[in-house]
Amino acid sequence: MISLGQLVFQVEYAMKAVENSSTAIGIRCKDGVVFGVEKLILSKLYEQGSNKRIFNVDRHVGMAVAGLLADARSLSEVAREEASNFRSNYGHNIPLKYLSERVAMYVHAYTLYSAVRPFGCSFILGSYDQDDGPQLYMVDPSGISFGYWGCAIGKAKQAAKTEIEKLQMKDMTCRELVKEVAKIIYIVHDEVKDKAFELELSWVGEVTNGKHELVPKDIRVEAEKYAKVCTTTTSLLHGISVTWVQNNSTFKVFFPHFMVTN
Amino acid sequence: MVGVEDLVHFRYYVSSKTINKLIQVHDRIFCCIAGSLADAQAVTKAAKFQISFHSIQMESPPLVKAAASVLKELCYNNKEELQAGFITAGWDRKKGPQVYTVALGGMLLSQPFTIGGSGSTYIYGYADAKYKPDMSKEECLQFATNALALAMGRDNVSGGVAHLVVITEEGVEHIVIPGDKLPKFHDE
C-alpha cells in the first residue's frame, strides 16, 4: 500500500532540488520575452558555452531551466515533440498556453506513481507571436503552470522577484529589457558562495522576428557591461549610506573619495 | 471587422437524392465534399470530432488552417483507401476569411478562391476571367451563382438545387436557389 504522503514529499524534495540550483529568470515586455540564466562554472576546465540551460523548443518558443539538468533536457525533448506533433496535425505554431499545459500534464503524471520519481526541475517557457503577442509561462515539479509577466526560479528567486517587481516591463522593449535582465542576474549572484559564473541571455520577440535566439554577442557584452556598472554602483552606494547614518550625530556628511570608472 | 471578401460556397446536389454536400465542421468552418461521398462523409465525421475536441482544448474557435490540416492528415495518411477531395472554407479571428483545398492525395493549398467537383472543368475559364479580389457580398453571390448555373448547364451529372453559404464573423447564412430560379445563359 503506497502512502500518499510519501508521494507528496517526493514532489517537495524535487522542488528543493530546484531551489539548490542557480537562478534563471524570464521577463515579458511590450514586444517580446527575455531569458537570463546564471550558469555557475564549477571548473576552469569546462568549455565555454557547454551545458546550456536555455533550450529551443520550437522556432518561436524558448525554455530556461533550473534544477537537475538531465531531467530538464528530457523534458525539453518532450516539449519539442508536443510542438512538432501540433504543427504536423494542425498546420500552425503551437500556442504557448497549450504547450505549457501539455508539458505540465506530463510532469504531473510523474507525480502519480511510486514506480517513477517526479522531475527535479522547473522551467520557464516564452514565445512571441504576431497576433497573440509575447507570452511567458512557468512549470514547476508538481505539474502546474502559470502565466507571468516576470518570474524567477532557483536559489535566488526571492531576491530576483523583488528586483523584477521594480521594473515597468509592460512599457519596455526587448533591447532595454536585456540590460535589466543582465543587471538582475549580476545583482542576485552571490560572490561569496559561488565564484565564477557565465551569463546566458536569450530573447524572442519582434526584434528577432518571432524566432527564439541567443542574444547576439555585441548586445550581450553591452548588457554585461551595464550590469557590472550597476552592481558596482549599488555596492558603493550601500557603503556611503552606511557611513552617513553612523556619523549623523556629528552633523558631518562624508563624501566618497573614490570615483566610479568604467 | 467584417471581411469584404466574404466567402461563398456553392454546392449542388443531384435532385433525386437530397445529399447535402456542404458539411459544417465548426461554427464558422464549412467543408464542401467531392469524390466518393461515402469516403467524404466518413472523413468529415472524423474531422468534425477532432476539430471540436481541439477547439475545446484550445479554449478558442479553431483556425481554418487547423481544420484544413486535420482533413489533410486524414486524407494523406489514408490515401490508398480514400477517394475524396475537400474545399475547406471559413472565418477565424487570426486571418479572417480563408479558402483551402485538400486534393485527392492529401495536398493542402491555400487559395483566394477555388472550384471543384465534376462540373468544375466546364467553368475554369469563367472563374478565372470573372474573379476579382475584394468583391462585396452581392458580387460574390452573383459570381458563385453564375458559375454554378453554367456548370450545371453543361455537366450531365450536376443539377438540381444550388446551396450557398455565406460565412462571416457574425454568423452563417444559408441561401438555397432552386434550379429553375438560377440565371439562364444564351443556349437555354
Side-chain angles (χ1 to χ4, degrees):
Chain A
M1 186 60 192
I2 307 144
S3 160
L4 281 174
Q6 291 302 314
L7 289 174
V8 176
F9 286 147
Q10 287 299 312
V11 173
E12 288 183 18
Y13 297 156
M15 297 209 200
K16 280 212 175 70
V18 176
E19 272 161 39
N20 281 336
S21 119
S22 62
T23 324
I25 64 174
I27 308 183
R28 172 182 159 192
C29 62
K30 196 167 57 174
D31 63 352
V33 169
V34 180
F35 291 111
V37 177
E38 172 203 8
K39 192 172 76 180
L40 298 178
I41 299 175
L42 299 166
S43 158
K44 286 203 181 92
L45 297 172
Y46 281 160
E47 192 184 345
Q48 206 206 23
S50 63
N51 282 4
K52 284 212 186 314
R53 287 183 38 196
I54 300 183
F55 302 95
N56 240 345
V57 167
D58 197 345
R59 270 198 298 265
H60 64 301
V61 177
M63 173 169 155
V65 306
L68 299 175
L69 195 49
D71 287 9
R73 284 206 187 120
S74 148
L75 277 172
S76 77
E77 274 304 304
V78 167
R80 282 168 185 162
E81 270 183 59
E82 279 291 333
S84 167
N85 282 337
F86 186 94
R87 188 191 291 283
S88 192
N89 286 331
Y90 302 112
H92 64 97
N93 286 348
I94 188 168
L96 193 67
K97 177 161 189 276
Y98 184 68
L99 173 64
S100 70
E101 275 170 16
R102 294 288 294 182
V103 186
M105 237 194 298
Y106 188 90
V107 168
H108 171 252
Y110 279 70
T111 66
L112 294 170
Y113 312 104
S114 61
V116 294
R117 66 162 175 83
F119 284 95
C121 63
S122 288
F123 49 95
I124 312 174
L125 292 162
S127 83
Y128 177 77
D129 177 66
Q130 252 192 335
D131 303 296
D132 304 321
Q135 307 271 322
L136 186 69
Y137 282 85
M138 199 259 281
V139 179
D140 68 8
S142 65
I144 43 173
S145 80
F146 281 111
Y148 288 90
W149 274 98
C151 66
I153 48 180
K155 58 171 69 155
K157 72 172 187 211
Q158 277 307 115
K161 276 197 185 128
T162 324
E163 291 299 320
I164 293 174
E165 277 164 20
K166 292 182 191 164
L167 295 176
Q168 296 292 336
M169 58 208 72
K170 295 185 191 180
D171 306 317
M172 295 171 84
T173 64
C174 269
R175 285 188 199 276
E176 295 160 6
L177 192 57
V178 165
K179 294 200 261 191
E180 297 301 323
V181 166
K183 181 176 119 190
I184 293 173
I185 295 284
Y186 268 82
I187 289 175
V188 304
H189 172 68
D190 191 339
E191 275 295 332
V192 177
K193 285 200 195 143
D194 315 305
K195 301 293 165 55
F197 80 103
E198 202 181 300
L199 172 64
E200 265 184 70
L201 277 175
S202 79
W203 58 2
V204 57
E206 231 183 290
V207 65
T208 64
N209 243 331
K211 271 177 68 180
H212 175 250
E213 309 174 325
L214 288 178
V215 169
K217 189 167 176 199
D218 51 344
I219 301 182
R220 181 167 53 82
V221 163
E222 203 190 306
E224 289 200 67
K225 221 165 63 169
Y226 170 83
K228 283 185 185 141
V229 166
C230 285
T231 41
T232 339
T233 324
T234 322
S235 52
L236 282 170
L237 281 171
H238 276 303
I240 298 165
S241 62
V242 165
T243 337
W244 187 80
V245 164
Q246 282 172 345
N247 291 286
N248 203 14
S249 52
T250 59
F251 292 94
K252 276 184 201 168
V253 180
F254 286 84
F255 290 101
H257 294 288
F258 36 72
M259 298 278 284
V260 178
T261 51
N262 269 1
Chain B
M1 182 181 86
V2 178
V4 172
E5 196 165 22
D6 282 355
L7 288 161
V8 176
H9 278 280
F10 47 93
R11 258 302 149 241
Y12 38 77
Y13 54 75
V14 174
S15 54
S16 59
K17 286 197 201 278
T18 49
I19 295 175
N20 179 21
K21 292 190 188 175
L22 257 182
I23 306 201
Q24 183 165 24
V25 291
H26 207 263
D27 293 349
R28 298 278 184 281
I29 306 178
F30 274 75
C31 218
C32 312
I33 57 182
S36 154
L37 283 197
D39 288 351
Q41 280 182 353
V43 171
T44 47
K45 192 169 170 191
K48 195 169 172 182
F49 163 72
Q50 281 186 32
I51 293 163
S52 163
F53 192 71
H54 172 65
S55 161
I56 290 172
Q57 276 187 318
M58 294 278 116
E59 291 172 0
S60 72
L63 298 183
V64 185
K65 186 160 193 198
S69 295
V70 166
L71 278 162
K72 177 260 289 175
E73 281 292 295
L74 286 163
C75 285
Y76 182 73
N77 292 329
N78 298 298
K79 62 161 84 187
E80 320 298 330
E81 285 90 15
L82 293 173
Q83 213 180 42
F86 304 91
I87 297 176
T88 312
W91 181 93
D92 67 46
R93 180 164 303 151
K94 206 163 171 176
K95 272 183 156 175
Q98 296 147 73
V99 174
Y100 294 88
T101 324
V102 178
L104 236 52
M107 171 186 79
L108 174 63
L109 205 54
S110 165
Q111 296 176 301
F113 78 100
T114 189
I115 56 180
S118 61
S120 68
T121 50
Y122 304 99
I123 51 170
Y124 273 102
Y126 176 79
D128 288 342
K130 285 294 178 179
Y131 172 77
K132 46 188 211 303
D134 297 324
M135 287 192 271
S136 70
K137 177 181 158 187
E138 288 65 34
E139 287 177 303
C140 247
L141 275 169
Q142 194 57 52
F143 170 65
T145 320
N146 285 349
L148 272 173
L150 286 164
M152 284 152 80
R154 285 292 183 180
D155 188 20
N156 59 338
V157 296
S158 305
V161 175
H163 274 292
L164 293 109
V165 168
V166 182
I167 309 167
T168 59
E169 179 177 0
E170 282 80 51
V172 164
E173 191 191 329
H174 288 269
I175 299 169
V176 179
I177 308 175
D180 49 354
K181 300 278 193 313
L182 283 171
K184 291 199 179 352
F185 294 92
H186 75 284
D187 62 337
E188 296 172 75

